Every structure is written in C-alpha cells, then in structure tokens.
Amino acid sequence: MSIIIEEVGPGIYSLFENFVRMYLVSGNDRALLIDTGLGGDNLRQKAEKLSDKPYDVVITHNHYDHIGGTGEFESVYAHGLDKTFIKCAVNEIADGKLFELGGVTLETVHIPGHTPGSIALYDRKRKLLFGNDTLQEGPVFLYAPNCDCENYIKSLKRLKTLDFDLCYTGHHRMTVDKSYADDLIELTALYLQKKLRAEPFESNGETRYIYRHKRASIFGKPELSEE
C-alpha cells in the first residue's frame, strides 16, 4: 500500500498507510518518526525525504500495524514491555524519557492497557499529544490476552491530567480532543460491568464484537455483552 503524506502542523507530518497513521515530528536539530506502520512503500526513504536532520524512530506499541517497517531501521526506541516482535535492535525506554529535537521536546508517557508497553508522546509546549491507539475515536482493541481494561481506564485518566488541546491518533479520525477520554472511560467501565450489547462485525473471516457509547467504540469480548 502506498503511503500518503500530509503536513498537518508546523514540522509535523502524517504518513498514512492503508488504515494506520505514523507521524514524523521535526525540530531545529533532530526529527522523530513515530511508528513504522505495516512495512510497505519504502518508509525509511520517505521519512528521510521529509527531513534532512538526523532522526530517531520510536514505537508506541508492538502491534503488527505499528512495527511492520522496523526492519528498515538499525534500531528503534520502545518500552521494555513491548519490545517483542520488533525486527531490529531496541533501545528500551520508560516513562518520562525525553526526545529533544531542538525547540521541540516530546515526553514519553507510559499508558498500559491497550498493550502493557503502550506509550504516548506529549508536546507540553504546544499542548499536543500523540496518543497512538489508546486515545482515538475507535474501535480500540481491548480483547487480546495482553489487554488490560482496568489499566486502560487508569491510563486514560492519566492522559486527562495532561494539558493538551489536540491528540493525533493512530487510526480513524486523525485528531480528537481530550473529551474523547471521558467517553472511552465511561464505555470501558460499562463494558466491564456487562451493561452494553455487543455488535458482531465480520472482518477477514473473523467475527469481532463492537461496543459503543457516545462517540467512542471498542472491540471487546462477546462474553462481556449485556445479557
């Protein structure tokens, strides 16, 4: 699949591949590529055309649609809990790691739930968040064995304490505002309490189950559907 590139803010580029978004953020001295997508269309070449500065690559979580292109790079940054399946050397990072780009600083925020090592990148100065799959319109995947809905709710509550106006997402609508966290928190709590009815959804021969509340949606387990 070809990658569609769009400048979405000063020094911020969206790289959209099929159904997943990556971002390249450039400062005065360095750049940072956030995620590597599905692994098609010469991602490294395209990223290096967007910025002539030295750059690093950071992985927000280790799902296949975010790490597919890691084999194009010598190394990437990723949280230690999500370093598996990555096809190059991993520089382990933890909560609070700063990426200093020159006039732009991105702070690592550990937000477990979607995966154990999910992270967001926070631009405190410009009040921006790169929320990957954790804070998005949805559906957010919350049924895999390593998903933790209670930690997911805690992580969303933590994101709410950050001062940001806009969140760049990994899927669906490119941006959402902080209020989406409230809808996702309410939705996940109702899901855990079996107060929502699942909607079956067929995808590539697999039946998935969507739960909805207000503007938000998740993929969950059928046994937690309202009886």
PDB file of all heavy atoms in Angstrom, residues 169-192:
ATOM      1  N   THR A 169      -3.967  10.687  16.409  1.00  0.00           N
ATOM      2  CA  THR A 169      -4.285   9.285  16.663  1.00  0.00           C
ATOM      3  C   THR A 169      -3.638   8.345  15.652  1.00  0.00           C
ATOM      4  O   THR A 169      -3.151   8.775  14.601  1.00  0.00           O
ATOM      5  CB  THR A 169      -5.810   9.077  16.624  1.00  0.00           C
ATOM      6  OG1 THR A 169      -6.261   9.136  15.259  1.00  0.00           O
ATOM      7  CG2 THR A 169      -6.537  10.128  17.444  1.00  0.00           C
ATOM      8  N   GLY A 170      -3.702   7.048  15.961  1.00  0.00           N
ATOM      9  CA  GLY A 170      -3.121   6.051  15.079  1.00  0.00           C
ATOM     10  C   GLY A 170      -4.079   5.545  14.016  1.00  0.00           C
ATOM     11  O   GLY A 170      -3.637   4.959  13.023  1.00  0.00           O
ATOM     12  N   HIS A 171      -5.378   5.757  14.208  1.00  0.00           N
ATOM     13  CA  HIS A 171      -6.374   5.225  13.277  1.00  0.00           C
ATOM     14  C   HIS A 171      -7.590   6.156  13.215  1.00  0.00           C
ATOM     15  O   HIS A 171      -7.779   7.015  14.066  1.00  0.00           O
ATOM     16  CB  HIS A 171      -6.860   3.843  13.727  1.00  0.00           C
ATOM     17  CG  HIS A 171      -5.789   2.817  13.843  1.00  0.00           C
ATOM     18  ND1 HIS A 171      -5.300   2.131  12.761  1.00  0.00           N
ATOM     19  CD2 HIS A 171      -5.112   2.357  14.926  1.00  0.00           C
ATOM     20  CE1 HIS A 171      -4.376   1.283  13.162  1.00  0.00           C
ATOM     21  NE2 HIS A 171      -4.226   1.405  14.474  1.00  0.00           N
ATOM     22  N   HIS A 172      -8.408   5.925  12.187  1.00  0.00           N
ATOM     23  CA  HIS A 172      -9.688   6.616  12.034  1.00  0.00           C
ATOM     24  C   HIS A 172      -9.467   8.132  11.924  1.00  0.00           C
ATOM     25  O   HIS A 172      -8.575   8.552  11.217  1.00  0.00           O
ATOM     26  CB  HIS A 172     -10.638   6.234  13.178  1.00  0.00           C
ATOM     27  CG  HIS A 172     -10.738   4.746  13.377  1.00  0.00           C
ATOM     28  ND1 HIS A 172     -11.329   3.918  12.458  1.00  0.00           N
ATOM     29  CD2 HIS A 172     -10.257   3.941  14.360  1.00  0.00           C
ATOM     30  CE1 HIS A 172     -11.237   2.660  12.872  1.00  0.00           C
ATOM     31  NE2 HIS A 172     -10.574   2.651  14.018  1.00  0.00           N
ATOM     32  N   ARG A 173     -10.256   8.943  12.601  1.00  0.00           N
ATOM     33  CA  ARG A 173     -10.033  10.393  12.544  1.00  0.00           C
ATOM     34  C   ARG A 173      -8.613  10.715  13.000  1.00  0.00           C
ATOM     35  O   ARG A 173      -8.127  10.163  13.981  1.00  0.00           O
ATOM     36  CB  ARG A 173     -11.029  11.123  13.439  1.00  0.00           C
ATOM     37  CG  ARG A 173     -12.438  11.189  12.907  1.00  0.00           C
ATOM     38  CD  ARG A 173     -13.338  11.907  13.882  1.00  0.00           C
ATOM     39  NE  ARG A 173     -12.839  13.242  14.201  1.00  0.00           N
ATOM     40  CZ  ARG A 173     -13.386  14.024  15.136  1.00  0.00           C
ATOM     41  NH1 ARG A 173     -14.407  13.598  15.852  1.00  0.00           N
ATOM     42  NH2 ARG A 173     -12.906  15.217  15.357  1.00  0.00           N
ATOM     43  N   MET A 174      -7.987  11.646  12.295  1.00  0.00           N
ATOM     44  CA  MET A 174      -6.595  11.951  12.612  1.00  0.00           C
ATOM     45  C   MET A 174      -6.440  12.594  13.980  1.00  0.00           C
ATOM     46  O   MET A 174      -5.447  12.347  14.679  1.00  0.00           O
ATOM     47  CB  MET A 174      -5.999  12.880  11.550  1.00  0.00           C
ATOM     48  CG  MET A 174      -4.515  13.148  11.743  1.00  0.00           C
ATOM     49  SD  MET A 174      -3.858  14.387  10.614  1.00  0.00           S
ATOM     50  CE  MET A 174      -4.283  13.682   9.018  1.00  0.00           C
ATOM     51  N   THR A 175      -7.403  13.412  14.390  1.00  0.00           N
ATOM     52  CA  THR A 175      -7.282  14.106  15.663  1.00  0.00           C
ATOM     53  C   THR A 175      -8.579  13.990  16.465  1.00  0.00           C
ATOM     54  O   THR A 175      -9.672  13.924  15.898  1.00  0.00           O
ATOM     55  CB  THR A 175      -6.956  15.605  15.477  1.00  0.00           C
ATOM     56  OG1 THR A 175      -8.010  16.229  14.729  1.00  0.00           O
ATOM     57  CG2 THR A 175      -5.627  15.782  14.757  1.00  0.00           C
ATOM     58  N   VAL A 176      -8.419  13.958  17.770  1.00  0.00           N
ATOM     59  CA  VAL A 176      -9.544  14.066  18.694  1.00  0.00           C
ATOM     60  C   VAL A 176      -9.129  15.023  19.800  1.00  0.00           C
ATOM     61  O   VAL A 176      -7.941  15.312  19.982  1.00  0.00           O
ATOM     62  CB  VAL A 176      -9.952  12.702  19.293  1.00  0.00           C
ATOM     63  CG1 VAL A 176     -10.444  11.751  18.209  1.00  0.00           C
ATOM     64  CG2 VAL A 176      -8.800  12.074  20.076  1.00  0.00           C
ATOM     65  N   ASP A 177     -10.102  15.499  20.557  1.00  0.00           N
ATOM     66  CA  ASP A 177      -9.764  16.352  21.693  1.00  0.00           C
ATOM     67  C   ASP A 177      -9.797  15.538  22.982  1.00  0.00           C
ATOM     68  O   ASP A 177     -10.147  14.348  22.991  1.00  0.00           O
ATOM     69  CB  ASP A 177     -10.699  17.568  21.773  1.00  0.00           C
ATOM     70  CG  ASP A 177     -12.164  17.177  21.919  1.00  0.00           C
ATOM     71  OD1 ASP A 177     -12.468  16.279  22.726  1.00  0.00           O
ATOM     72  OD2 ASP A 177     -13.013  17.771  21.221  1.00  0.00           O
ATOM     73  N   LYS A 178      -9.417  16.175  24.076  1.00  0.00           N
ATOM     74  CA  LYS A 178      -9.286  15.469  25.346  1.00  0.00           C
ATOM     75  C   LYS A 178     -10.593  14.857  25.814  1.00  0.00           C
ATOM     76  O   LYS A 178     -10.603  13.822  26.506  1.00  0.00           O
ATOM     77  CB  LYS A 178      -8.729  16.421  26.412  1.00  0.00           C
ATOM     78  CG  LYS A 178      -8.378  15.724  27.717  1.00  0.00           C
ATOM     79  CD  LYS A 178      -8.045  16.697  28.827  1.00  0.00           C
ATOM     80  CE  LYS A 178      -6.761  17.449  28.584  1.00  0.00           C
ATOM     81  NZ  LYS A 178      -6.361  18.239  29.774  1.00  0.00           N
ATOM     82  N   SER A 179     -11.719  15.444  25.445  1.00  0.00           N
ATOM     83  CA  SER A 179     -13.008  14.949  25.926  1.00  0.00           C
ATOM     84  C   SER A 179     -13.306  13.527  25.464  1.00  0.00           C
ATOM     85  O   SER A 179     -14.149  12.843  26.057  1.00  0.00           O
ATOM     86  CB  SER A 179     -14.139  15.886  25.490  1.00  0.00           C
ATOM     87  OG  SER A 179     -14.324  15.850  24.085  1.00  0.00           O
ATOM     88  N   TYR A 180     -12.638  13.062  24.412  1.00  0.00           N
ATOM     89  CA  TYR A 180     -12.826  11.676  23.986  1.00  0.00           C
ATOM     90  C   TYR A 180     -12.422  10.698  25.086  1.00  0.00           C
ATOM     91  O   TYR A 180     -12.949   9.577  25.157  1.00  0.00           O
ATOM     92  CB  TYR A 180     -12.024  11.386  22.709  1.00  0.00           C
ATOM     93  CG  TYR A 180     -12.869  11.445  21.470  1.00  0.00           C
ATOM     94  CD1 TYR A 180     -13.129  12.661  20.842  1.00  0.00           C
ATOM     95  CD2 TYR A 180     -13.426  10.293  20.918  1.00  0.00           C
ATOM     96  CE1 TYR A 180     -13.914  12.722  19.705  1.00  0.00           C
ATOM     97  CE2 TYR A 180     -14.217  10.353  19.785  1.00  0.00           C
ATOM     98  CZ  TYR A 180     -14.457  11.568  19.179  1.00  0.00           C
ATOM     99  OH  TYR A 180     -15.242  11.628  18.069  1.00  0.00           O
ATOM    100  N   ALA A 181     -11.474  11.103  25.929  1.00  0.00           N
ATOM    101  CA  ALA A 181     -11.056  10.229  27.019  1.00  0.00           C
ATOM    102  C   ALA A 181     -12.221   9.923  27.948  1.00  0.00           C
ATOM    103  O   ALA A 181     -12.363   8.795  28.436  1.00  0.00           O
ATOM    104  CB  ALA A 181      -9.902  10.868  27.795  1.00  0.00           C
ATOM    105  N   ASP A 182     -13.066  10.909  28.200  1.00  0.00           N
ATOM    106  CA  ASP A 182     -14.225  10.688  29.068  1.00  0.00           C
ATOM    107  C   ASP A 182     -15.151   9.628  28.482  1.00  0.00           C
ATOM    108  O   ASP A 182     -15.635   8.743  29.199  1.00  0.00           O
ATOM    109  CB  ASP A 182     -14.997  11.990  29.274  1.00  0.00           C
ATOM    110  CG  ASP A 182     -14.211  13.010  30.074  1.00  0.00           C
ATOM    111  OD1 ASP A 182     -13.612  12.628  31.100  1.00  0.00           O
ATOM    112  OD2 ASP A 182     -14.192  14.189  29.678  1.00  0.00           O
ATOM    113  N   ASP A 183     -15.420   9.720  27.190  1.00  0.00           N
ATOM    114  CA  ASP A 183     -16.299   8.749  26.546  1.00  0.00           C
ATOM    115  C   ASP A 183     -15.702   7.347  26.601  1.00  0.00           C
ATOM    116  O   ASP A 183     -16.415   6.356  26.827  1.00  0.00           O
ATOM    117  CB  ASP A 183     -16.556   9.148  25.093  1.00  0.00           C
ATOM    118  CG  ASP A 183     -17.414  10.404  24.965  1.00  0.00           C
ATOM    119  OD1 ASP A 183     -17.829  10.948  26.000  1.00  0.00           O
ATOM    120  OD2 ASP A 183     -17.652  10.838  23.828  1.00  0.00           O
ATOM    121  N   LEU A 184     -14.383   7.240  26.377  1.00  0.00           N
ATOM    122  CA  LEU A 184     -13.732   5.932  26.419  1.00  0.00           C
ATOM    123  C   LEU A 184     -13.701   5.353  27.829  1.00  0.00           C
ATOM    124  O   LEU A 184     -13.855   4.140  28.019  1.00  0.00           O
ATOM    125  CB  LEU A 184     -12.314   6.036  25.855  1.00  0.00           C
ATOM    126  CG  LEU A 184     -12.227   6.122  24.330  1.00  0.00           C
ATOM    127  CD1 LEU A 184     -10.854   6.627  23.899  1.00  0.00           C
ATOM    128  CD2 LEU A 184     -12.506   4.765  23.696  1.00  0.00           C
ATOM    129  N   ILE A 185     -13.513   6.200  28.824  1.00  0.00           N
ATOM    130  CA  ILE A 185     -13.535   5.741  30.219  1.00  0.00           C
ATOM    131  C   ILE A 185     -14.917   5.199  30.565  1.00  0.00           C
ATOM    132  O   ILE A 185     -15.054   4.100  31.123  1.00  0.00           O
ATOM    133  CB  ILE A 185     -13.144   6.886  31.167  1.00  0.00           C
ATOM    134  CG1 ILE A 185     -11.652   7.219  31.026  1.00  0.00           C
ATOM    135  CG2 ILE A 185     -13.460   6.520  32.625  1.00  0.00           C
ATOM    136  CD1 ILE A 185     -11.248   8.516  31.690  1.00  0.00           C
ATOM    137  N   GLU A 186     -15.966   5.958  30.230  1.00  0.00           N
ATOM    138  CA  GLU A 186     -17.329   5.518  30.515  1.00  0.00           C
ATOM    139  C   GLU A 186     -17.649   4.226  29.772  1.00  0.00           C
ATOM    140  O   GLU A 186     -18.242   3.290  30.339  1.00  0.00           O
ATOM    141  CB  GLU A 186     -18.323   6.613  30.122  1.00  0.00           C
ATOM    142  CG  GLU A 186     -18.265   7.853  30.992  1.00  0.00           C
ATOM    143  CD  GLU A 186     -19.208   8.940  30.488  1.00  0.00           C
ATOM    144  OE1 GLU A 186     -20.138   8.619  29.714  1.00  0.00           O
ATOM    145  OE2 GLU A 186     -19.028  10.115  30.874  1.00  0.00           O
ATOM    146  N   LEU A 187     -17.267   4.167  28.510  1.00  0.00           N
ATOM    147  CA  LEU A 187     -17.527   2.983  27.694  1.00  0.00           C
ATOM    148  C   LEU A 187     -16.867   1.748  28.284  1.00  0.00           C
ATOM    149  O   LEU A 187     -17.496   0.682  28.430  1.00  0.00           O
ATOM    150  CB  LEU A 187     -17.028   3.229  26.271  1.00  0.00           C
ATOM    151  CG  LEU A 187     -16.907   2.026  25.329  1.00  0.00           C
ATOM    152  CD1 LEU A 187     -18.217   1.295  25.165  1.00  0.00           C
ATOM    153  CD2 LEU A 187     -16.366   2.472  23.983  1.00  0.00           C
ATOM    154  N   THR A 188     -15.593   1.850  28.628  1.00  0.00           N
ATOM    155  CA  THR A 188     -14.863   0.689  29.129  1.00  0.00           C
ATOM    156  C   THR A 188     -15.425   0.231  30.473  1.00  0.00           C
ATOM    157  O   THR A 188     -15.522  -0.977  30.737  1.00  0.00           O
ATOM    158  CB  THR A 188     -13.363   0.997  29.230  1.00  0.00           C
ATOM    159  OG1 THR A 188     -12.907   1.536  27.989  1.00  0.00           O
ATOM    160  CG2 THR A 188     -12.571  -0.254  29.545  1.00  0.00           C
ATOM    161  N   ALA A 189     -15.808   1.168  31.313  1.00  0.00           N
ATOM    162  CA  ALA A 189     -16.413   0.804  32.601  1.00  0.00           C
ATOM    163  C   ALA A 189     -17.741   0.078  32.398  1.00  0.00           C
ATOM    164  O   ALA A 189     -18.007  -0.950  33.047  1.00  0.00           O
ATOM    165  CB  ALA A 189     -16.610   2.050  33.453  1.00  0.00           C
ATOM    166  N   LEU A 190     -18.573   0.578  31.498  1.00  0.00           N
ATOM    167  CA  LEU A 190     -19.849  -0.083  31.214  1.00  0.00           C
ATOM    168  C   LEU A 190     -19.637  -1.460  30.611  1.00  0.00           C
ATOM    169  O   LEU A 190     -20.377  -2.408  30.905  1.00  0.00           O
ATOM    170  CB  LEU A 190     -20.678   0.791  30.266  1.00  0.00           C
ATOM    171  CG  LEU A 190     -21.217   2.099  30.856  1.00  0.00           C
ATOM    172  CD1 LEU A 190     -21.792   2.975  29.747  1.00  0.00           C
ATOM    173  CD2 LEU A 190     -22.273   1.822  31.918  1.00  0.00           C
ATOM    174  N   TYR A 191     -18.624  -1.583  29.771  1.00  0.00           N
ATOM    175  CA  TYR A 191     -18.278  -2.872  29.164  1.00  0.00           C
ATOM    176  C   TYR A 191     -17.892  -3.883  30.243  1.00  0.00           C
ATOM    177  O   TYR A 191     -18.376  -5.027  30.236  1.00  0.00           O
ATOM    178  CB  TYR A 191     -17.140  -2.648  28.166  1.00  0.00           C
ATOM    179  CG  TYR A 191     -16.377  -3.866  27.745  1.00  0.00           C
ATOM    180  CD1 TYR A 191     -16.958  -4.842  26.939  1.00  0.00           C
ATOM    181  CD2 TYR A 191     -15.046  -4.036  28.137  1.00  0.00           C
ATOM    182  CE1 TYR A 191     -16.221  -5.962  26.532  1.00  0.00           C
ATOM    183  CE2 TYR A 191     -14.313  -5.145  27.741  1.00  0.00           C
ATOM    184  CZ  TYR A 191     -14.905  -6.099  26.939  1.00  0.00           C
ATOM    185  OH  TYR A 191     -14.190  -7.194  26.547  1.00  0.00           O
ATOM    186  N   LEU A 192     -17.062  -3.477  31.188  1.00  0.00           N
ATOM    187  CA  LEU A 192     -16.644  -4.378  32.257  1.00  0.00           C
ATOM    188  C   LEU A 192     -17.819  -4.781  33.148  1.00  0.00           C
ATOM    189  O   LEU A 192     -17.828  -5.877  33.722  1.00  0.00           O
ATOM    190  CB  LEU A 192     -15.546  -3.728  33.095  1.00  0.00           C
ATOM    191  CG  LEU A 192     -14.177  -3.589  32.438  1.00  0.00           C
ATOM    192  CD1 LEU A 192     -13.238  -2.789  33.325  1.00  0.00           C
ATOM    193  CD2 LEU A 192     -13.576  -4.953  32.125  1.00  0.00           C
TER     194      LEU A 192
END
